[in-house]
Amino acid sequence: MTMNVLLTGGAGYIGSHTAIELLDMGHSVVIVDNFSNSKPEALNRIREITGKNFKFFEADVCDSAAMDKLFSENEIECVIHFAGLKAVGESCAIPVKYYRNNIDSTLTLLETMKKHGVNNFVFSSSATVYGDSDKMPLTEDMPTLTSGSPYGRTKLMIEQILTDACSADPELSVVLLRYFNPIGAHKSGRIGEDPSGIPNNLMPYISQVAVGKLPKLGIFGNDYPTPDGTCVRDYIHVVDLAKGHAKAIDYAASHKGAEAFNLGTGVGYSVLDIVNSFIKVNGIDLKYEFQPRRAGDIPECYSDPSKAERELGWKAERTIEDMCRDSWNWQKNNPNGLN
Ligand code: NAD
Ligand code: UDP
């Protein structure tokens, strides 16, 4: 069944890849974004890759008058809420802005959806809601965080708000997608992750070292209790993640209540695994040095993705080699990102 899907934050990294998958599947897409962390060119690239058009609204999702207008002018059937601020370090420096943006946008959407009789909601949550659990792999029923950053707490609070909203409204359907570490890019090399300033995350940092924009990668810690001493994460190709959203909107349309799903591969790779795979797959050199641990990092984090396979019918298919190749293909063809 095809649907008319609103993607908040659809000009961003994960939203733009999801827009491509949904358009390719024949869904109608409406995007709202305020470009606080993205560029209008992303929208041109989505149109170029898919050969399809969609409606775009430049607005802040916290602006309820703008959202009311959007919902009045469009028959939205499902909302995927990507819009949010996502930098862990920045969230410690400006927590109020993070709480305001991430929580207010969600509340505004819930109110507007209710007013317009829209009942299907898919939320971009994160593995960070599990906090510093030392039991791996992580399953959806494990306890959520007791420590962590303001960013992580916005995700947990939003999960709770959405769950409460479902308890009160038997018509509402919410899918909480707990992403692990998305990397990679569309195979065209025309769209990918485009962080502003110096990247915080591993793969954009590696790519920018490889393209000569940064001198070398610092690997944060090589004395962790992991096989090679560097941290282990569950990296997932952004196109696999995007495909998970297509499954999630189907699930939302045929269920009621709130349900959480891990979207990961279930396999953990170390920082050195990623570095070595990037070097090998792309045949390029990469300078790196070991540096002290980064505050807040946990040694290992990887998912048990079996619930998503069982209940959504979704499984990640792309390998670490695909992720490294596609990240580099994007970066080398767009050394300055989307302009
Ligand atoms: P992104 O920054 O590339 O995309 C988010 C988009 O939302 C941007 O285009 C930004 O301009 C827009 N936006 C932010 N606040 C807005 C507002 N109030 N109104 C309108 N637009 C707004 O980030 P991403 O990597 O694509 O992440 C998407 C979602 O997934 C976020 O909620 C993020 O927290 C979550 N997530 C991301 C990761 C990751 O590693 N990338 C991991 C777990 C969860
Ligand atoms: N990392 C690193 N150097 C960097 C960026 C990240 O060594 O410049 C490590 C980080 O310590 C973590 C892993 O790479 O172990 C993934 O970090 P990222 O910030 O991409 O995602 P996180 O899992 O922290 O959300």
Side-chain angles (χ1 to χ4, degrees), residues 64-112:
S64 46
M67 289 306 102
D68 191 42
K69 186 165 182 289
L70 189 159
F71 278 77
S72 300
E73 290 174 4
N74 297 276
E75 291 261 318
I76 303 297
E77 294 173 279
C78 183
V79 175
I80 311 182
H81 185 30
F82 297 103
L85 298 173
K86 64 163 184 175
V88 173
E90 188 184 61
S91 79
C92 299
I94 45 170
V96 177
K97 187 170 177 187
Y98 270 67
Y99 287 115
R100 170 64 74 193
N101 190 71
N102 293 2
I103 292 174
D104 205 359
S105 58
T106 309
L107 295 174
T108 303
L109 282 172
L110 281 174
E111 286 168 350
T112 315

Side-chain angles (χ1 to χ4, degrees), residues 9 11-15 32-38 59-62 82-86 101 124-126 151 155 179-180 182:
Y13 174 47
I14 303 169
V32 56
D33 205 299
N34 64 359
F35 300 126
S36 56
N37 196 39
S38 55
D60 189 323
V61 182
C62 303
F82 297 103
L85 298 173
K86 64 163 184 175
N101 190 71
S124 295
S125 190
S126 167
Y151 165 71
K155 292 296 176 194
Y179 309 155
F180 281 67

